[in-house]
Amino acid sequence: MEKKRFRIVVDRGRCVGFGTCVDVAPSIFKFDEEGKAVAPLEGEFPPQRLFDAAKACPALAILVLDADNGDAVYPES
């Protein structure tokens, strides 16, 4: 599976801990001690799995950026 470098930002003010991202991409997203989603700030991830998890978030709390230039990849600006 192809991987690309992305930067992931989880808006903790929006995250309600529903867990869809963890269900869709458990190798990327985890729960912290407050029951909110966390992910590595930056790394190589399978794009389809990452985007599926971000799109599945009912709170729209996940922002995915291109790690090289900082452009928003999801949601697109």
Side-chain angles (χ1 to χ4, degrees):
M1 179 178 283
E2 178 189 343
K3 292 184 177 184
K4 292 181 66 180
R5 290 195 64 73
F6 294 101
R7 181 163 189 224
I8 303 170
V9 178
V10 177
D11 183 336
R12 296 189 51 80
R14 294 188 87 137
C15 180
V16 294
F18 193 72
T20 307
C21 60
V22 177
D23 291 339
V24 172
S27 64
I28 301 172
F29 294 92
K30 307 282 185 231
F31 286 119
D32 68 6
E33 62 281 347
E34 296 176 23
K36 296 194 178 206
V38 294
L41 180 60
E42 190 173 309
E44 289 190 7
F45 309 103
Q48 191 62 50
R49 180 68 43 98
L50 177 57
F51 295 140
D52 287 348
K55 291 175 185 176
C57 177
L60 304 173
I62 301 170
L63 174 64
V64 180
L65 306 170
D66 183 303
D68 294 325
N69 61 25
D71 289 343
V73 179
Y74 182 86
E76 295 181 46
S77 48

